[in-house]
Amino acid sequence: MTVCPQGPLLLRGDFEIVDAEGQSIDARQGPVALCRCGGSAIKPFSDGTHKLMKFERPKQGTGSCPTARASGSCL
């Protein structure tokens, strides 16, 4: 998982997403971006709304995203 400072959580590799009722959510193939801003119309997935909202990460922690910085992979 990669935490993008002003964006979504990016998931890569083998994983399963399960809702509150224990039902598996179709995670599609390839990398998945999960919404952190709360504004996405396709939750739990990101639709890019964080850019329109000018979402900023919570202030606690370092918020570093070394993988994304190196690869430019944050949305």
Side-chain angles (χ1 to χ4, degrees):
M1 179 185 332
T2 301
V3 178
C4 295
Q6 270 56 40
L9 300 173
L10 299 179
L11 300 177
R12 295 179 181 91
D14 292 333
F15 58 87
E16 179 181 14
I17 300 174
V18 178
D19 68 15
E21 287 79 40
Q23 299 297 312
S24 183
I25 296 174
D26 180 18
R28 307 173 194 149
Q29 294 293 330
V32 171
L34 297 178
C35 177
R36 284 198 311 154
C37 73
S40 175
I42 57 170
K43 291 181 192 99
F45 306 106
S46 176
D47 66 1
T49 299
H50 58 275
K51 294 176 190 175
L52 298 173
M53 295 175 59
K54 298 185 179 171
F55 174 73
E56 292 189 25
R57 66 176 169 81
K59 299 300 180 198
Q60 72 265 10
T62 63
S64 64
C65 189
T67 303
R69 273 199 310 268
S71 67
S73 63
C74 284
L75 303 177

